[in-house]
Amino acid sequence: MTQTVAVLGTGKIGEALLSGMIRAGWPAAHLLVTARRPERARELTERYGVEAVSNEDAAKRADTLILAVKPQDMGRLLDELTHHVTPDRLVISAAAGITTTFIEERLAPDTPVVRVMPNTPVLVDEGMSVISAGSHATGDHLAHAEEIFGGVGKTLRVPESQQDAATALSGSGPAYFYFLVEAMTDAGILLGLPRAQAHDLIVQAAIGAAVMLRDSGEHPVKLREAVTSPAGTTISAIRELENHGVRAALIAAMEAARDRSRELASGNG
């Protein structure tokens, strides 16, 4: 943690990483941030005690650069960095759909690049960050990325060829659960419950189910079967979900998300 790390484009995800690193013990004196708006830069400095700098200064001073800008802003950011990033730096991209090749081609030869796809639960330290090495990244570079992103949840290494699939499941995954909670809340209202009560019931059921999935080690089929008694309420509900093709719809939805991630990666935004 003696290296200097710069977060370039410190929006919600970038700020979550910054606060996670500080909680994990990174000294604020070894952390730099950049922000498009001066008032945002001042806010980050006041909140975390870090230094706000320009993208050019960050590239000159930091050992590790975390590119946390939106995908459509990545090309412009790399244009600013190209003459200032040397191959002894590590560049970590947290932008959806941006390949390591895209970044490597715009920086000095042999610059190590690591691609990371975090999801929004990094904001509550329960994120999943999927990590892939570029052409010049070593095991030490991957371990360094894991050290950073491990402060805000779990990490998983995958080949970059699997990043689009991981984006479909994990990157977009929280939205699917929010969608289900929204639909189940509406069902609760239809069944006669006040909205607040329906919401509380469903959220706690979701939390409990997630913890059981994580901690029990049981296959989800076994956990579902434990709730599904013969001729009971749950099997009646499951039959309707199957009749309406919910399983097939989820598979199709994630295929669509994967395909869109591929389009973004190919530049067809």
Side-chain angles (χ1 to χ4, degrees):
M1 297 184 180
T2 58
Q3 288 196 347
T4 298
V5 177
V7 181
L8 281 66
T10 315
K12 287 185 178 180
I13 297 296
E15 184 177 356
L17 290 173
L18 178 67
S19 62
M21 282 188 283
I22 290 173
R23 287 192 302 276
W26 289 86
H30 289 239
L31 297 171
L32 304 173
V33 297
T34 78
R36 180 177 296 177
R37 295 179 291 108
E39 59 269 26
R40 173 61 171 165
R42 287 193 298 271
E43 177 186 327
L44 292 165
T45 297
E46 292 169 1
R47 185 174 299 168
Y48 300 104
V50 297
E51 184 180 356
V53 297
S54 68
N55 291 329
E56 180 180 321
D57 285 342
K60 292 177 180 178
R61 295 171 54 187
D63 302 291
T64 299
L65 303 171
I66 301 174
L67 313 185
V69 297
K70 295 177 180 178
Q72 59 267 34
D73 295 328
M74 183 62 79
R76 183 165 56 250
L77 174 61
L78 292 172
D79 287 342
E80 291 184 52
L81 303 180
T82 185
H83 298 299
H84 307 290
V85 177
T86 54
D88 60 341
R89 305 287 199 264
L90 170 61
V91 176
I92 299 175
S93 169
I98 301 295
T99 65
T100 58
T101 299
F102 179 90
I103 297 170
E104 289 167 350
E105 289 175 345
R106 288 158 178 79
L107 298 178
D110 301 325
T111 300
V113 178
V114 171
R115 178 178 173 182
V116 183
M117 183 67 243
N119 60 12
T120 55
V122 298
L123 297 168
V124 292
D125 293 348
E126 291 291 349
M128 172 55 80
S129 298
V130 184
I131 298 176
S132 302
S135 302
H136 312 295
T138 66
D140 287 342
H141 293 131
L142 290 173
H144 187 48
E146 288 171 336
E147 183 181 23
I148 293 171
F149 284 81
V152 289
K154 293 191 174 186
T155 63
L156 178 69
R157 295 188 193 186
V158 302
E160 189 168 10
S161 60
Q162 295 178 2
Q163 274 282 358
D164 294 318
T167 296
L169 267 68
S170 177
S172 301
Y176 312 147
F177 288 99
Y178 302 146
F179 183 86
L180 288 172
V181 168
E182 179 186 0
M184 292 171 72
T185 300
D186 287 344
I189 295 168
L190 179 65
L191 297 175
L193 291 170
R195 177 176 293 277
Q197 287 185 3
H199 176 82
D200 289 347
L201 287 168
I202 294 159
V203 169
Q204 188 55 40
I207 292 169
V211 171
M212 289 184 71
L213 278 167
R214 184 190 65 192
D215 295 348
S216 70
E218 294 283 1
H219 192 282
V221 169
K222 280 197 169 185
L223 293 173
R224 178 179 60 77
E225 287 175 346
V227 188
T228 310
S229 55
T233 58
T234 305
I235 191 61
S236 296
I238 295 294
R239 180 185 64 183
E240 289 303 315
L241 291 173
E242 294 289 8
N243 286 343
H244 286 80
V246 171
R247 187 188 305 267
L250 285 170
I251 292 171
M254 293 182 199
E255 287 180 328
R258 178 207 58 197
D259 294 346
R260 180 57 179 154
S261 182
R262 287 176 176 171
E263 288 177 1
L264 291 171
S266 66
N268 297 322

